[in-house]
Amino acid sequence: MTEAANADIASYRSFNDFFTRALRPGARPSALADFICPVDGAISQFGVIDDHHILQAKGHSFTIRELVGGDGELAAKFRHGAFANLYLSPRDYHRLHMPCDGVLTRMIYVPGTLFSVNPVTAKGIPNLFARNERVVCVFESPEHGPFVMVLVGATIVGSIATTWHGVVNPKRTKKPSEWTYPDQRICLKQGDEMGRFLLGSTIVMLFGQGSLVFNEAWSPARPVRLGEVMGNREA
């Protein structure tokens, strides 16, 4: 609570308000890097996309197309690109921020299951992140090209919200939904809040080929904090 903008526990209206509490200014300073870590959490996996396969855990992978809800044209933009799966446990700060500047172009709600996404289930359930309910946020960066942030739901995660939309899935239908923004210019700067989870979950990020070299200090299972160096552009 020493890091919270509001340190008075009794003032929160609900458990969810407490769980998604904001940090006090300066609690997570941003590194000078092309890409910063967008969350507090731990690294599940990261690296180069093997053609169109993303590593979930040893022995398990899923395809880009499965992850983004079946859109082959969108998936093709990230073949041989880079990915990072970051896990937020219930104890972590639960707001999500931008790794770099981006202009929102699409948002896709993909219905699915709500398996736990902790490291044990990630190792045991095939296609976990491509089976769970998720919100696919598609951005265009002036400097880095297209990138995607996929907010993956999980057990007890009551909702996923974005700063431009609010709660995305209040009725939990079994049908995909999509929003485009041709008449709006929703621009978010590096470090800006872009969404939040209730309880713990996972964010999967996709970047185009040749756009990102990851921080050499990163490794699977390593804890990460919002604002630290995630990587830089390829030289």
Side-chain angles (χ1 to χ4, degrees), residues 35-167:
F35 300 90
I36 61 170
C37 181
V39 297
D40 282 3
I43 300 168
S44 295
Q45 296 289 338
F46 73 102
V48 176
I49 297 170
D50 179 11
D51 188 13
H52 60 280
H53 288 90
I54 301 167
L55 182 64
Q56 174 178 304
K58 187 176 181 180
H60 293 304
S61 63
F62 54 93
T63 68
I64 308 168
R65 185 168 184 166
E66 290 170 332
L67 179 69
V68 300
D71 187 329
E73 184 176 349
L74 176 60
K77 295 180 180 180
F78 303 101
R79 291 189 70 175
H80 304 289
F83 77 95
N85 309 334
L86 305 180
Y87 169 64
L88 289 72
S89 73
R91 69 184 179 186
D92 290 315
Y93 169 63
H94 274 65
R95 298 192 182 196
L96 317 171
H97 295 253
M98 294 291 287
C100 60
D101 294 356
V103 178
L104 181 72
T105 60
R106 297 169 64 191
M107 183 173 73
I108 307 161
Y109 166 67
V110 185
T113 57
L114 288 172
F115 289 118
S116 170
V117 292
N118 66 43
V120 174
T121 50
K123 292 177 181 177
I125 298 179
N127 281 35
L128 175 62
F129 302 142
R131 292 167 66 178
N132 269 18
E133 177 180 279
R134 55 206 180 276
V135 175
V136 181
C137 304
V138 184
F139 293 93
E140 186 72 30
S141 166
E143 294 182 321
H144 313 299
F147 67 97
V148 166
M149 299 180 72
V150 182
L151 287 57
V152 182
T155 305
I156 316 177
V157 177
S159 64
I160 296 171
T162 63
T163 55
W164 58 85
H165 185 96
V167 176

